[in-house]
Amino acid sequence: MFKTFRISFMLKNTYRTNAILHGIKQLPFIGKLIPDTVYGMPAFKIIAYVIAIIYEISTLLIWKLAYFFFFIALWTMIGDVSRQLQPEFFLHLLIPLTITGAFIHNFMFEAEKHKYYAMMQLNMDSRQFTLVNYFYELAKYFIGFLICGLLFGLILGLHIWECLLIPVFAASAKTLVCAYQINRFKRGKPVTNSSSLLKNGLLLIGLCLFIPGLYITGLLGFTIPRYASWAIIAFVIAGTALTCRSIFSFTEYRAMNKEILSSQLINQMDKSAQRRMIVDRNRKIISLDKNISSNKNGFEYLNELFIKRHRKTLWGNSIIITAVIAGLIILASVVCIMVPKVGSGLNETLMRSLPYFCIIMYAINRGMYFTQALFMNCDHSLLTYSFYKEPKSILSLFRIRLREITKVNLLPAATGGAGLALLLFLSGGTDNPINYAVLFVSICAMSIFFSVHYLTIYYLLQPYNAGTEIKSGTYQVINIGTYMVCFFFMNVKLPTLYFGLSTIAFCVLYCIIACILVYKFAPKTFRIRT
Amino acid sequence: MIFTIEHLSKRFDAKEVLRDISFSFESGKIYGLLGRNGAGKTTLFNCLNGDLKADSGIYTIQDTAGTRTPVPDDIGYVLSTPTVPEFLTGREFLKFFCDIHSGRIKGIRPLDDYFDYIGIDRMDRDKLLKDYSHGMKNKMQMLINIIAQPNLLLLDEPLTSLDVVVAEEMKDVLRSIKSDRITILSTHIMDLALDMCDEIVLLSHGVLEKVDKNNLDNNDFKDKIIAALKEETNV
């Protein structure tokens, strides 16, 4: 057992050490200074090893402290819970959250890379490896809960014996869930962990109702009685004592781990499997309708077939967004007419809200999905042919695509812009009639801006390699920057007229510059990254 | 026609993959490009095809009209993993290609003639390319490059993953079109290189080096090539 622990600990640290060195090598500027042979250089290895050990020790306490403070103690302050009720409130939150946590994040069922290396690649004894690792993590968890339970429990008025029982309860909850999951696996049911649980929509909705409900009832004074909390704790500890044998007697750890790791990790680690998954996913979005055809020629022919065979992906969301916007506008219009008081408030809001539409237009724009679909299902293959890389071909297709992407994005934008102008009119109108036009045109201009923006950076930076991975840091930085600029605009306080006119001017200028740049540079930059 | 590479170099960080390569290829011949894993065969092809910017070097085509720099139309590149636009049918892809090249390629024929030539069944011609088998996609990729009539045809491991029947069909196709162009075929399979190629060129130590067969029989020639490739690791 000790040998297994030693090997698995060393393996995890080696993996972490190399991951740290790899991370440092990816840093801008500093990364360039570090040689490729860094993984074999003792000085760097020692530094990374020390960081890995510090990380391991820090995980013992940091997350637990954050958990006890942000999820429990902070709420006693927010709710101004009386001293007398604090222990009950503390247990009211701690017990359900800890039990939920035992299901959502249980070390035994998490897909982790070092587990894959040890059990699948190095063929270590799966039962020994799983149990040794589980009890090592459980010991860390116990210590963290012991320290935090004592610290926060005593501050919030619990008896010391109660504080000492908290880590026993927490560790028992985890182990009881292990026994439950193993029992499910024996009955042929799939093992669940954080990733699979979070993919379960029904469960997510349940959690979204349960957790806020827990806080709301607590803050309203409807807490679980203290005796009931201790009954639950006693039940969990007793349940663990009765069922934990099944963890030791279980022999199918390899099969169970294989299921956990293959469903999530092997695909992540095996690049060719990952590539196959991406290819398969993109193949599925191609329409199989045999009636699709085109009477056009050349690039217009290619484009029309692409749009028709990807209509659901390219136009589907745009149509849904448009329908939602139209629905909201109709609703707001009815409210404006029926309740004039609300209308006057809305009128004032509309005259100040244009800067917020930057982030809204950013969020609903389909530009990035459009360019992704273009690369995955069209350019990825055609860019390997010489004729497709000729400047004339690149520029003709750019023009056609700009038209298409603008159409897709303009539908919801024009609906929204026209709707806002209508709402402005219905809610009391404006002294300056130009405001109606500015609202409509500036929102359409924002939409055109995003369409041009995404297509331009796609043509100028072409971020994908042959394996359909994004390989351009600049592309990612520009995407983050775009989001930050849109976010920043929410704080801009300018009258609609001035903000709208500046937006229109900026968008026109940007589109001109972007098109010049594409015409000048895209024939050189629009290549598959190697 | 002669395709000449002069002083071609390419390095990735500290590793110099192509080292001041100078070499000439003559039309009418199939060149077998051999090299060990990581020798730089794909890098060389990517540089020649303009997918990768070389650190230095020039390429020229010398024909009856004089010497000139190659344009994209001069080069055809067939990858080992066939890449075709999967949202099109075989016929649509061919129609699109012919549309783009109308007026540039002499004697474009009816689409079905091309399918007959490459051996794609009538019932498969109107299927989406995503439903084509690996071999059929490879045939489509090859067909496009044949219709384009490039002066320089680069083939990166073109027959490795094909079944024996398709591989033999492809060999016949390549032999039939070799007379008007330069064909460079990179492969790991020695027998394929000896069977198909008129000249064997090794890419070792970052440079191209022709291996003369002289009067050797196939077995001795193989031994000579392997000995030359082994030298690379002993350096």
Side-chain angles (χ1 to χ4, degrees), chain B residues 20-202:
Chain B
D20 196 30
I21 289 178
S22 292
F23 203 88
S24 290
F25 299 90
E26 290 170 29
S27 66
K29 286 183 178 176
I30 299 179
Y31 289 83
L33 179 66
L34 295 176
R36 305 196 62 166
N37 287 334
K41 299 186 292 293
T42 304
T43 302
L44 173 66
F45 278 3
N46 281 331
C47 287
L48 298 182
N49 196 41
D51 292 331
L52 193 61
K53 197 177 177 313
D55 298 334
S56 67
I58 51 169
Y59 325 118
T60 52
I61 285 180
Q62 190 189 336
D63 53 21
T64 47
T67 304
R68 61 184 173 82
T69 307
V71 292
D73 265 358
D74 282 315
I75 302 169
Y77 187 10
V78 178
L79 295 121
S80 54
T81 309
T83 54
V84 287
E86 303 205 322
F87 70 96
L88 295 178
T89 64
R91 189 183 298 281
E92 286 166 351
F93 185 30
L94 216 51
K95 177 195 166 344
F96 163 63
F97 182 79
C98 291
D99 278 352
I100 297 297
H101 287 82
S102 63
R104 283 154 68 183
I105 297 173
K106 288 171 205 160
I108 286 187
R109 304 200 312 246
L111 299 183
D112 282 315
D113 284 7
Y114 291 118
F115 285 118
D116 290 339
Y117 169 72
I118 205 76
I120 289 181
D121 287 344
R122 283 196 172 268
M123 57 186 293
D124 292 325
R125 297 173 190 178
D126 294 300
K127 270 187 188 170
L128 286 178
L129 289 169
K130 75 178 182 124
D131 296 325
Y132 273 34
S133 67
H134 184 87
M136 280 157 66
K137 284 181 187 172
N138 203 299
K139 282 181 173 181
M140 279 305 295
Q141 192 184 217
M142 190 74 89
L143 181 59
I144 291 293
N145 278 288
I146 290 168
I147 301 172
Q149 299 167 6
N151 287 316
L152 175 64
L153 184 58
L154 307 173
L155 305 159
D156 190 4
E157 298 278 356
L159 309 177
T160 312
S161 52
L162 300 182
D163 69 52
V164 283
V165 177
V166 179
E168 280 307 312
E169 286 172 1
M170 286 295 118
K171 278 186 199 175
D172 290 340
V173 168
L174 287 173
R175 286 189 191 106
S176 71
I177 59 163
K178 77 170 187 175
S179 58
D180 300 325
R181 62 186 46 85
I182 297 156
T183 307
I184 309 176
L185 183 152
S186 98
T187 182
H188 285 293
I189 306 167
M190 178 83 80
D191 289 324
L192 173 71
L194 297 180
D195 178 30
M196 285 283 300
C197 303
D198 303 293
E199 303 280 358
I200 299 293
V201 181
L202 299 188

Side-chain angles (χ1 to χ4, degrees), chain A residues 345-390:
Chain A
L346 188 68
N347 186 284
E348 209 175 296
T349 313
L350 279 172
M351 291 304 288
R352 284 186 281 111
S353 63
L354 198 53
Y356 288 90
F357 279 86
C358 278
I359 195 94
I360 294 173
M361 296 316 293
Y362 166 84
I364 66 170
N365 195 278
R366 306 290 301 155
M368 193 185 276
Y369 300 99
F370 198 102
T371 53
Q372 268 172 5
L374 281 177
F375 182 79
M376 300 298 175
N377 281 357
C378 183
D379 298 342
H380 172 238
S381 52
L382 285 172
L383 273 173
T384 58
Y385 297 89
S386 300
F387 73 92
Y388 200 73
K389 290 183 283 190
E390 286 176 15

